[in-house]
Amino acid sequence: MEKEKSILIVNLSDYIYWMDLGEKGVKRRDKEFLEANINPWVKKTLKYDVILFTKDGEIITSSFRNIPKDFLKEKIKEVEVFFYSYREKVFLCAVGPVMSDDKRYFYDAYLLFAKPIDEEIIREWENFLDAKITILNIGDVREEKLRNYYEYPSYHIEIPLSENILVHIEKESKIIYLIYRSSLIMLISFTLFILISSLLISQFLISYIMRPFEKLVLIAREIERGNYDVDFDIHRKDEIGDFMRAFKNMIDKIKIREEKLLIERDIMKEIAYLDVLTQTYNRRYLDVIFKELVDKNIYFSLVFVDIDNFKDVNDKFGHDVGDQILKEVVEFFKKNFRSGDVIIRFGGDEFCIILINTTREMAEKIMKRTLCDFKERFSNIDGISLGFSFGIASYPEDSKSLDELIKIADERMYKDKEKK
């Protein structure tokens, strides 16, 4: 669930802090821009339903019909995630304010992405948890219907997603039954042996039965500390052996699931900093790499790049071809810059290049050489020649603030573009 939320927030944030959305989508109501970038492009590409609306409740564009009024009420000025039940479907929603790139200007509008929690997602959750999942609307649930959910031997967990939506998780546990059966058998056997055995037999039973339990206590303490690599006596041919084997299988499954969770966490961390289209870093990673370089006292140059004539490609060939060109541009940058340099898609056809251990003068030479190779590589796209304009700001000479470095590089880039 957190993975779904994180991906939804990442994708929404790419849009709400995009100045073109505010200027073209909200202010101008540019229908061509909205169709190419918001609706229906978002639903086709990202598989999300989308609503762009003003704080007064006016719908600018929407993939929904007959929007509920409480969807359109004025929101707080930050990203909000919630679940919503609409037409017998449950949606995971993220809504945020449409802001300028520097997050200082609010366009009096909000963008909402909604991902339906459909059968496919529920099946993924069920496969991941190895459990049955039911999403219920609390207002429609009757008491006699709920009674069927609570059956032994199963775990039952209810998680409220919102005031009206409830997730019921049911997981059958054969371990519970096996532990109960084995414990009962051992208890009865031990009692009978005590009644009919001599002191010698009693001591034998203590040695044969109680020591495995003492070892099991030690094993349980090791597991509590997070150490799952413990030694189990699984070669016995009695109920204790069955118990030990069942207990070991349970621990092995827990260990595998924890390893999967750690892998999922690492994957989510990587996804959060990747641009969906080009698979290079997105602008959220700019804060991370800036902090790392500053902490290590490494100087660098930040280059702000804007592709020239790229709009002509989109206008002539459409956004699918434009998206492919952007991917090729990223591949070109990766081949022409050093492996330690960082390529970041800032938004649209704008990029930030972090040149490590590079002064402004060195960066200027590198970018001029790269521009020549770029023009040769993209010299003729069916009659359209691409180039790029760039501006450079160096740390710490120009500034020690990331926002100030971006502003300086952006201004110098626009001066470069005006010369052409």
Side-chain angles (χ1 to χ4, degrees):
M1 187 114 28
E2 293 302 318
K3 174 183 175 183
E4 297 291 346
K5 289 181 181 179
S6 299
I7 295 175
L8 187 61
I9 291 173
V10 165
N11 289 327
L12 179 72
S13 298
D14 281 340
Y15 281 85
I16 61 175
Y17 302 126
W18 182 24
M19 187 174 291
D20 282 356
L21 177 60
E23 294 293 330
K24 297 179 182 180
V26 177
K27 282 190 173 181
R28 302 179 197 171
R29 304 293 202 273
D30 187 334
K31 183 177 180 181
E32 181 179 351
F33 172 83
L34 292 171
E35 290 179 350
N37 295 278
I38 305 299
N39 179 35
W41 191 90
V42 169
K43 184 157 187 174
K44 177 183 176 183
T45 307
L46 302 179
K47 311 303 181 185
Y48 298 150
D49 282 288
V50 60
I51 308 174
L52 179 63
F53 61 98
T54 68
K55 70 177 184 178
D56 297 323
E58 175 192 355
I59 298 175
I60 298 174
T61 184
S62 171
S63 61
F64 286 98
R65 294 183 179 179
N66 302 322
I67 305 301
K69 292 297 182 183
D70 54 344
F71 250 29
L72 308 180
K73 63 184 180 181
E74 185 174 356
K75 308 292 183 181
I76 58 177
K77 290 188 178 179
E78 61 183 23
V79 176
E80 178 183 356
V81 180
F82 59 96
F83 288 87
Y84 194 86
S85 177
Y86 175 60
R87 290 189 173 180
E88 298 181 354
K89 287 185 178 181
V90 174
F91 292 85
L92 174 60
C93 303
V95 63
V98 179
M99 308 285 287
S100 59
D101 290 347
D102 58 7
K103 303 181 184 179
R104 295 178 180 177
Y105 181 77
F106 175 46
Y107 286 93
D108 292 329
Y110 299 91
L111 182 66
L112 182 143
F113 283 176
K115 181 170 186 177
I117 308 301
D118 53 20
E119 291 296 328
E120 182 178 351
I121 291 178
I122 292 177
R123 282 198 298 271
E124 290 180 2
W125 291 354
E126 288 180 337
N127 291 336
F128 181 77
L129 295 175
D130 190 24
K132 180 181 178 182
I133 296 177
T134 307
I135 296 182
L136 304 169
N137 191 316
I138 295 176
D140 298 334
V141 174
R142 298 180 180 177
E143 183 179 353
E144 56 266 29
K145 183 178 180 181
L146 281 175
R147 287 175 183 165
N148 296 328
Y149 292 145
Y150 301 97
E151 297 178 354
Y152 178 87
S154 296
Y155 294 117
H156 298 271
I157 303 174
E158 293 178 352
I159 304 174
L161 298 183
S162 68
E163 294 181 357
N164 299 317
I165 302 169
L166 188 71
V167 172
H168 181 89
I169 302 175
E170 177 182 348
K171 181 175 178 61
E172 183 178 359
S173 177
K174 295 180 180 178
I175 299 298
I176 294 177
Y177 175 74
L178 182 59
I179 292 175
Y180 171 79
R181 184 173 68 91
S182 299
S183 300
L184 185 60
I185 292 173
M186 287 186 289
L187 180 60
I188 294 173
S189 300
F190 184 71
T191 302
L192 291 175
F193 281 143
I194 288 295
L195 295 175
I196 64 175
S197 300
S198 63
L199 180 59
L200 181 61
I201 296 175
S202 298
Q203 291 180 349
F204 172 77
L205 291 176
I206 291 173
S207 173
Y208 189 76
I209 297 178
M210 295 306 294
R211 285 183 182 176
F213 280 98
E214 292 175 357
K215 185 176 182 180
L216 187 61
V217 171
L218 296 175
I219 289 173
R221 289 174 180 170
E222 287 297 314
I223 293 172
E224 185 180 5
R225 296 188 187 101
N227 179 22
Y228 296 105
D229 297 322
V230 290
D231 182 27
F232 284 88
D233 183 9
I234 60 174
H235 302 293
R236 296 178 58 147
K237 303 300 182 181
D238 55 7
E239 284 78 5
I240 294 178
D242 292 340
F243 178 82
M244 288 292 191
R245 285 187 288 273
F247 197 77
K248 183 179 185 303
N249 289 335
M250 180 182 70
I251 297 306
D252 289 343
K253 289 181 179 179
I254 292 174
K255 180 181 178 182
I256 291 172
R257 288 176 184 174
E258 283 198 358
E259 290 173 349
K260 287 182 178 179
L261 288 174
L262 290 174
I263 294 173
E264 290 287 338
R265 184 190 65 184
D266 292 339
I267 292 174
M268 281 305 306
K269 185 176 180 180
E270 182 177 347
I271 289 174
Y273 297 125
L274 281 182
D275 177 61
V276 176
L277 175 64
T278 62
Q279 293 300 297
T280 189
Y281 291 114
N282 58 31
R283 60 187 173 191
R284 278 179 299 281
Y285 186 69
L286 195 55
D287 294 316
V288 177
I289 188 62
F290 176 79
K291 186 176 185 305
E292 288 181 2
L293 294 175
V294 171
D295 290 344
K296 295 177 182 178
N297 198 26
I298 297 175
Y299 69 93
F300 61 90
S301 287
L302 184 150
V303 186
F304 205 90
V305 175
D306 183 84
I307 308 301
D308 298 330
N309 303 324
F310 185 74
K311 183 177 183 301
D312 297 338
V313 173
N314 279 336
D315 292 344
K316 185 172 182 179
F317 305 107
H319 286 272
D320 289 341
V321 174
D323 290 347
Q324 181 59 38
I325 295 298
L326 285 176
K327 294 177 183 178
E328 294 177 9
V329 166
V330 169
E331 289 302 314
F332 171 85
F333 285 157
K334 289 180 178 179
K335 291 179 181 178
N336 282 268
F337 291 111
R338 298 166 298 181
S339 61
D341 296 330
V342 181
I343 301 166
I344 295 170
R345 186 186 178 201
F346 198 77
D349 59 350
E350 295 178 333
F351 295 86
C352 269
I353 313 295
I354 304 296
L355 301 179
I356 309 296
N357 293 324
T358 306
T359 64
R360 184 179 173 187
E361 291 75 16
M362 295 167 60
E364 188 82 26
K365 294 178 181 179
I366 292 171
M367 294 309 298
K368 286 181 178 179
R369 183 183 69 244
T370 304
L371 178 58
C372 291
D373 295 340
F374 186 91
K375 287 181 177 180
E376 182 178 347
R377 167 65 178 82
F378 299 96
S379 62
N380 187 3
I381 304 175
D382 200 4
I384 300 175
S385 295
L386 297 182
F388 62 75
S389 302
F390 66 90
I392 303 171
S394 294
Y395 174 91
E397 289 83 1
D398 288 316
S399 177
K400 294 184 179 180
S401 163
L402 177 58
D403 291 338
E404 189 67 22
L405 286 172
I406 293 174
K407 181 181 178 182
I408 293 171
D410 186 48
E411 290 174 351
R412 289 173 177 170
M413 182 273 293
Y414 274 106
K415 288 181 181 178
D416 183 41
K417 187 177 287 288
E418 289 173 357
K419 295 177 183 178
K420 298 178 180 178

